[in-house]
RNA sequence: GCGCUCGUAGCUCAGCGGAUAGAGCAACGGACUUCUAAUCCGUGGGUCGCAGGUUCGAAUCCUGCCGGGCGCGCCA
């Protein structure tokens, strides 16, 4: 019995109680959940349904709880129901009912954890979105890890997700990049407002290699060559490092396309139809203050040029036209000032800014060595890059370290901690469970312990406290993934994996919970076989969870 | 000044409407002829920044204040 099954059972028991007592069945919620009490004395699961409904239907919560407890206690798999406090229902399950979860998980395999919670939702997830003027740096790295994990979490919860990387290879930043390349190729110092760092010289040299005649072109043509070829090389490098990091995007969207297709004008027209456009000082403005922004925003400057914000509007409209009703944009903390205007812009289009546009803000990340933030990159000069991260920690530890914290928290990633092979390092702690379950399974195979047919599985033998704790923790997985998806917070998945890891290690250390006989000549029992199911179920959940985070689940360590 | 965000154990952080607030680290003490000790067990440690409010119930939601970070261009 999964927590979701139990919750359904609680709800159906409540319906039965309501019917026999003539209470308003309409007051019942469509779904309910059970939670795991902190205090083990409070049973395996607790329901607060009586508490929530008592007032609604005019029955004392305690009285309602009593009737509910009696009805629920008659259901299959429910061992006991106690009433506590103002009307909590503390539920205990039969060992057999709890234990079948191990088999269910193994049989579900990689599908365990999937739900329909977000079924039918089309979500566009935009993250990283760095312009091709340099390597992906520290803020982008956080979003690469968190955004990619979130996309997988959303899909697992049933959403239809498109991931997207937005870039611009035409603006003034790119001109600075091109001038910097040209200067580097000529052996001159970087321009005043240009880009520094060794990578500029590397890219410049690569451009010269690809276009040997470039330096004999006139300066304007040369700069254009450096721009065109340099952007290609830089972007290829960004994609390569993201690919090595395990991150790929469904769509790489170039701002230029918005201009070429006239989408900025289209967005302006649309906003004008909605009545939020005005002209002032020769410029064209969007009256975002109608929807809570601090000030109105210019879309088209008095010199006729479009603003960056105008492109943002067009891009948003483009995503909406592609059928995404949830546009999610992940930005660094330094961009949080955009939230107001972006939300207002969505409202100006006639959308619901609370539903159609979500802006997630990621706080700062520091890579720390010996207590001091690492500030400089070998290649990029002033910033720490994705390569620096991977070089220092490896892909698994980098992804896990970044995905295990709430994006709201500024974090310091300590190189020494995250490369340590011990309990202190969460990624090793979790990965060790993957290795340990695999090792235990190999050992079982060598000693002739097999799970046997699903029908022969003896769930009732998983009656040790450690079995029960591990089962309950594994049972939390689908709800945790769904919760993480709804809240756009993949770190909950990592935290649950750590909890599962703890429960597994304690199970493993319990002499009563052995998967194989202690001595080679001892007989193999149904208990060993039942625990092999539980061992394999754990491996399944750990592997599924790590896959959501883009981290490997090694068979051996 | 306005806005966003954070404030939970000595440190790094979970918990975000449920019961006596948790984990790791750090301190101290235990368990290896191992189904991998890369593990486990135990002990101590807290006015959940402060003050009100909503609620049967608040670390969690609302308001105000205090403190830290960040942002407030016809830049991109």
């Amino acid at each position: 019995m999964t927590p979701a099954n139990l919750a359904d059972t609680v709800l159906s028991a409540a319906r039965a109680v309501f019917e026999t007592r003539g209470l308003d069945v309409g007051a019942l919620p469509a779904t309910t959940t059970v939670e795991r009490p902190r205090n083990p004395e409070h049973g395996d699961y607790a329901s607060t349904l009586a508490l929530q409904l008592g007032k609604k239907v005019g029955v004392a919560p305690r009285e309602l709880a009593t009737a509910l407890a009696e009805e629920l206690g008659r259901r299959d798999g429910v061992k006991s129901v106690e009433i506590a406090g103002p009307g909590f229902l503390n539920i205990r399950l039969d060992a057999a009912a709890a234990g079948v979860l191990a088999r269910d998980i193994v049989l579900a395999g990689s599908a365990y954890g999937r739900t329909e919670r977000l079924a039918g939702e089309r979500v566009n997830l935009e993250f990283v979105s760095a312009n091709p003027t340099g390597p992906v740096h520290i803020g982008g790295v956080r979003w690469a890890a968190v955004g990619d994990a979130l996309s997988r979490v959303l899909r697992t919860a049933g959403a239809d997700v498109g991931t997207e990387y937005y870039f611009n290879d035409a603006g003034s930043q790119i001109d600075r990049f091109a001038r910097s390349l040209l200067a580097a190729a000529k052996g001159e110092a970087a321009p005043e407002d240009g880009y520094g760092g060794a990578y500029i010289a590397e890219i410049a040299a690569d451009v010269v290699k690809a276009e040997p005649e470039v330096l004999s072109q006139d300066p304007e043509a040369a700069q254009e060559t450096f721009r065109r070829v340099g952007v290609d090389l830089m972007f290829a490098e960004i994609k390569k490092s993201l690919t090595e990091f395990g991150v790929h995007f469904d769509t790489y969207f170039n701002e230029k396309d918005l201009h070429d297709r006239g989408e900025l004008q289209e967005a302006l027209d649309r906003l004008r139809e909605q009545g939020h456009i005005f002209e002032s000082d020769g410029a064209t403005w969007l009256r975002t203050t109608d929807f809570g922004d601090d000030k109105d925003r210019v879309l088209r400057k008095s010199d006729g040029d479009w603003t960056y914000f105008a492109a943002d509007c067009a891009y948003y409209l483009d995503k909406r036209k592609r059928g995404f009703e949830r546009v999610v944009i992940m930005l660094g903390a330094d961009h949080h000032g955009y939230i107001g205007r972006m939300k207002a812009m969505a409202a100006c289009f006639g959308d619901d800014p609370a539903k159609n546009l979500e802006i997630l803000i990621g706080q700062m990340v520091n890579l720390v060595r010996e207590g001091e933030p690492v500030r400089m990159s070998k290649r990029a000069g002033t910033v720490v890059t994705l390569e620096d991260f991977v070089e220092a920690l490896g892909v698994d530890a980098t992804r896990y370290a970044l995905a295990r914290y709430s994006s709201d928290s500024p974090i310091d990633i300590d190189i020494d901690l995250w490369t340590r092979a011990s309990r202190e390092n969460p990624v090793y702690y979790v990965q060790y469970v993957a290795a340990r379950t695999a090792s235990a399974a190999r050992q079982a195979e060598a000693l002739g312990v097999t799970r046997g047919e699903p029908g022969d599985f003896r769930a009732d033998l998983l009656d040790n406290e450690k079995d029960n704790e591990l089962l309950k923790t594994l049972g939390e997985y689908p709800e945790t993934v769904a919760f993480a998806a709804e809240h756009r917070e993949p770190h909950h998945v990592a935290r649950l994996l750590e909890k599962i890891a703890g429960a597994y290690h304690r199970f493993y250390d319990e002499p009563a919970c052995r998967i194989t006989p202690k001595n080679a000549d001892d007989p193999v029992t149904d208990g060993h076989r039942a625990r092999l199911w539980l061992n394999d179920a754990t491996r399944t959940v750990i592997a599924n969870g790590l896959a959501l985070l883009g981290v490997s689940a090694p068979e051996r360590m």
Side-chain angles (χ1 to χ4, degrees):
Chain A
M1 167 125 46
T2 64
N5 299 146
L6 179 60
D8 289 344
T9 304
V10 170
L11 201 52
S12 98
R15 183 165 293 113
V17 167
F18 271 46
E19 280 166 1
T20 54
R21 299 184 134 226
L23 297 170
D24 176 18
V25 181
L28 291 169
T31 59
T32 186
T33 55
V34 290
E35 54 197 56
R36 289 197 51 196
R38 292 194 239 283
N39 188 337
E41 286 170 22
H42 294 150
D44 295 326
Y45 296 99
S47 166
T48 57
L49 196 59
L51 245 28
Q52 293 160 27
L53 292 172
K55 196 172 185 182
K56 244 178 168 175
V57 296
V59 179
R62 213 52 227 179
E63 188 189 333
L64 197 56
T66 307
L68 200 47
E70 196 181 317
E71 176 62 30
L72 191 57
R74 284 201 282 269
R75 302 296 171 114
D76 285 345
V78 177
K79 185 174 165 194
S80 68
V81 185
E82 286 163 21
I83 302 146
F88 291 102
L89 290 179
N90 291 335
I91 306 163
R92 268 167 236 279
L93 260 36
D94 289 329
V100 293
L101 180 63
R103 184 184 59 194
D104 292 346
I105 290 171
V106 171
L107 296 180
S110 61
Y112 182 66
R114 265 185 222 155
T115 63
E116 297 295 304
R117 190 71 62 89
L118 267 38
E121 285 199 28
R122 293 209 62 206
V123 182
N124 183 280
L125 200 58
E126 180 200 333
F127 54 101
V128 183
S129 292
N131 280 343
T133 54
V136 177
H137 61 259
I138 199 156
V141 180
R142 182 173 200 169
W143 279 133
V146 175
D148 188 59
L150 179 56
S151 73
R152 299 175 197 218
V153 165
L154 290 168
R155 286 183 178 121
T156 305
D160 180 2
V161 181
T163 57
E164 200 142 322
Y165 184 120
Y166 179 67
F167 68 101
N168 173 3
D169 60 7
S172 67
Q173 285 185 60
I174 297 290
D175 290 340
R176 298 208 316 251
F177 174 65
R179 287 201 304 278
S180 302
L181 292 178
L182 178 58
K186 291 202 273 194
E188 296 168 0
E192 187 76 3
D193 60 350
Y195 291 87
Y199 75 96
I200 289 289
E202 290 170 23
I203 299 279
D206 288 344
V207 173
V208 172
K209 198 186 285 176
E211 305 269 343
E213 76 293 351
V214 62
L215 288 174
S216 53
Q217 293 175 330
D218 68 78
E220 204 165 304
Q223 187 178 317
E224 171 53 24
T225 300
F226 274 105
R227 190 200 63 75
R228 178 172 50 78
V229 181
V231 161
D232 280 353
L233 290 170
M234 195 69 247
F235 206 37
E237 191 183 309
I238 289 171
K239 281 185 185 170
K240 179 165 174 280
S241 57
L242 287 169
T243 299
E244 284 167 2
F245 198 51
V247 176
H248 114 279
F249 291 85
D250 298 322
T251 304
Y252 289 86
F253 196 103
N254 192 336
E255 180 188 335
K256 189 166 168 289
D257 291 340
L258 294 170
H259 290 87
D260 292 350
R261 297 186 207 127
E263 293 193 49
L264 283 85
Q265 184 62 49
E266 183 189 340
L268 175 58
D269 293 344
R270 186 77 73 95
L271 292 164
R272 199 187 296 277
E273 284 164 25
Q274 296 281 327
H276 302 296
I277 297 294
F278 67 97
E279 312 289 331
S280 176
D281 303 327
T284 304
W285 299 67
L286 180 64
R287 202 183 306 276
T288 51
T289 51
D290 284 348
F291 297 100
D293 194 13
D294 316 341
K295 60 186 74 171
D296 294 322
R297 306 290 170 177
V298 172
L299 292 179
R300 185 179 243 166
K301 296 183 260 182
S302 51
D303 64 7
D305 285 350
W306 295 100
T307 61
Y308 188 83
F309 182 62
D312 286 339
C313 295
Y315 187 33
Y316 172 77
L317 183 61
D318 186 276
K319 287 173 180 170
R320 296 284 288 117
K321 283 196 302 188
R322 279 185 279 146
F324 293 107
E325 71 263 24
R326 290 201 182 266
V327 174
V328 182
I329 306 174
M330 309 173 101
L331 297 173
D334 53 338
H335 285 75
H336 76 253
Y338 293 165
I339 296 175
R341 79 193 69 168
M342 293 292 282
K343 289 277 189 182
M345 173 260 281
C348 287
F349 275 117
D351 280 349
D352 177 357
K355 175 174 171 286
N356 299 114
L357 178 63
E358 295 174 38
I359 299 181
L360 308 182
I361 295 298
Q363 297 297 320
M364 300 272 291
V365 180
N366 277 314
L367 188 63
V368 173
R369 191 194 310 269
E370 285 158 14
E372 289 298 314
V374 178
R375 297 205 181 280
M376 305 279 271
S377 159
K378 272 173 271 173
R379 276 189 75 223
T382 54
V383 289
V384 174
T385 68
L386 176 53
E387 287 72 26
D388 298 326
F389 249 102
V390 171
E391 190 187 318
L393 306 185
V395 170
D396 281 348
T398 301
R399 292 199 57 147
Y400 194 93
L402 293 169
R404 113 171 184 117
Y405 299 98
S406 161
S407 300
D408 292 337
S409 306
I411 47 172
D412 290 337
I413 303 297
D414 185 280
I415 293 175
D416 179 48
L417 171 70
W418 286 96
T419 51
R420 217 172 283 168
S422 73
R423 166 82 238 233
E424 304 147 65
N425 179 350
V427 72
Y428 273 85
Y429 187 66
V430 174
Q431 285 186 311
Y432 184 47
V433 172
R436 216 175 195 188
T437 50
S439 169
R442 284 193 298 271
Q443 190 64 223
E445 191 178 9
L447 293 173
V449 181
T450 57
R451 293 194 302 246
E453 292 303 312
D456 297 332
F457 169 58
R458 289 285 306 278
D460 59 304
L461 297 177
L462 297 177
D463 58 356
N464 188 276
E465 181 199 330
K466 302 290 196 297
D467 299 321
N468 190 245
E469 184 60 30
L470 179 54
L471 282 163
K472 281 188 287 188
T473 310
L474 295 175
E476 289 180 54
Y477 182 73
E479 177 58 30
T480 297
V481 174
F483 181 90
E486 286 176 316
H487 290 81
R488 284 64 160 127
E489 291 178 336
H491 73 275
H492 295 292
V493 175
R495 298 297 174 149
L496 178 64
L497 294 181
E498 290 166 31
K499 195 170 160 189
I500 291 170
Y504 178 78
H505 287 310
R506 285 185 284 277
F507 158 85
Y508 185 91
D509 278 4
E510 170 56 54
C513 295
R514 290 187 60 87
I515 293 156
T516 57
K518 176 90 173 149
N519 301 303
D521 45 354
D522 289 347
V524 174
T525 66
D526 283 342
H528 295 131
R529 286 187 271 270
R531 273 155 190 134
L532 181 56
W533 280 97
L534 184 48
N535 179 75
D536 294 352
T538 305
R539 178 163 175 81
T540 299
V541 177
I542 291 286
N544 291 358
L546 286 175
L548 290 182
L549 304 177
V551 177
S552 69
E555 305 237 337
R556 287 187 170 80
M557 286 172 78

